Amino acid sequence: QITLKEPGPTLVKPTETLTLTCTFSGVSLSSSGVGVGWIRQPPGKALEWLALIYGDDVKRYRPSLRSRLTITKDTSKNQVVLTMINMDPVDTATYYCVHRRGNYYFDSWGPGSLVTVSS
Amino acid sequence: QSVLTQPPSVSGAPGQRVTISCTGSSSNIGAGYNVHWYQHLPGTAPKLLIYDNNNRPSGVPDRFSGSKSGTSASLAISGLQAEDEADYYCQSYDTSLSGRFYVFGTGTTVAVL
């Protein structure tokens, strides 16, 4: 069974950098077919995929946010880190860590982490 | 912005059948990429409901079914129950000039009358 966990609620100020660490178990991010990534949901809005990293270190980013996002992995710690620079209040959302399987879908989700951007 | 379009809401009485459409384009669903569906209850993490167009993960009731045709897909819920009240999202993969990325639908709220 795959489990993923994001940090607790986070408050960041506008223009600051957000760093989120996902810790997972039940899967090893060391093979090319395995992927772990991030999806967010602003209040009252739809799900929005952000980034994904594969076991072979290939990375995919949401095109509209590519310049602000960086995703990395630490295979030895079973962790994936998402960094988003220049945060804005519109980035306020619940951020989910997810496991990608098979034909491009997400079969396991973390409980979510509320990120609030406010001065 | 989302590139998969869903109706904002659908509703039905208990026991009825409702369907949710998901309309994409030639760069995602029409390109042959599979469609997946998620159920999202308030305060919880989304849950995979249908994968690869019409497959149910273990534990998902067979009241839920999916289909895909051309640039669109549908989720059907038969024998609607109160516990089915939730938001539903379709998801696929897109390859365009912008790159390769995962796309979600706009989301549909199901209400049980």
Side-chain angles (χ1 to χ4, degrees), chain B residues 69-106:
Chain B
S69 178
T71 58
S72 297
S74 291
L75 173 71
I77 309 174
S78 59
L80 196 63
Q81 299 182 5
E83 65 201 51
D84 299 333
E85 279 204 338
D87 293 330
Y88 294 81
Y89 293 91
C90 59
Q91 178 253 310
S92 187
Y93 195 67
D94 194 290
T95 57
S96 66
L97 293 176
S98 301
R100 301 183 176 193
F101 53 100
Y102 298 81
V103 291
F104 281 94
T106 49

Side-chain angles (χ1 to χ4, degrees), chain A residues 39 41 45-49 52 54 60-64 66 96 100 102-107 109-112, chain B residues 1-2 33-34 36 38 40 44-48 51-52 89 91-93 98-102 104-107:
Chain A
I39 291 166
Q41 183 177 38
K45 296 190 177 182
L47 297 169
E48 185 176 74
W49 171 76
L52 192 85
Y54 293 94
R60 298 283 184 226
Y61 295 103
R62 186 178 188 82
S64 60
R66 182 177 286 124
Y96 296 98
R100 173 264 191 195
N103 274 333
Y104 310 108
Y105 62 89
F106 308 103
D107 64 339
W109 296 62
Chain B
Q1 69 277 16
S2 299
Y33 292 108
N34 289 338
H36 322 288
Y38 303 85
H40 193 192
T44 69
K47 166 190 167 185
L48 180 65
Y51 67 95
D52 291 349
Y89 293 91
Q91 178 253 310
S92 187
Y93 195 67
S98 301
R100 301 183 176 193
F101 53 100
Y102 298 81
F104 281 94
T106 49

Side-chain angles (χ1 to χ4, degrees), chain B:
Chain B
Q1 69 277 16
S2 299
V3 295
L4 302 180
T5 303
Q6 301 177 231
S9 63
V10 299
S11 61
Q16 283 191 331
R17 182 177 185 270
V18 296
T19 61
I20 301 170
S21 61
C22 173
T23 302
S25 68
S26 59
S27 64
N28 41 69
I29 300 175
Y33 292 108
N34 289 338
V35 178
H36 322 288
W37 293 88
Y38 303 85
Q39 180 189 58
H40 193 192
L41 297 165
T44 69
K47 166 190 167 185
L48 180 65
L49 198 65
I50 296 286
Y51 67 95
D52 291 349
N53 306 318
N54 54 15
N55 294 283
R56 289 183 306 276
S58 173
V60 173
D62 59 6
R63 303 185 292 103
F64 295 92
S65 62
S67 64
K68 172 192 162 185
S69 178
T71 58
S72 297
S74 291
L75 173 71
I77 309 174
S78 59
L80 196 63
Q81 299 182 5
E83 65 201 51
D84 299 333
E85 279 204 338
D87 293 330
Y88 294 81
Y89 293 91
C90 59
Q91 178 253 310
S92 187
Y93 195 67
D94 194 290
T95 57
S96 66
L97 293 176
S98 301
R100 301 183 176 193
F101 53 100
Y102 298 81
V103 291
F104 281 94
T106 49
T108 299
T109 299
V110 170
V112 181
L113 304 173

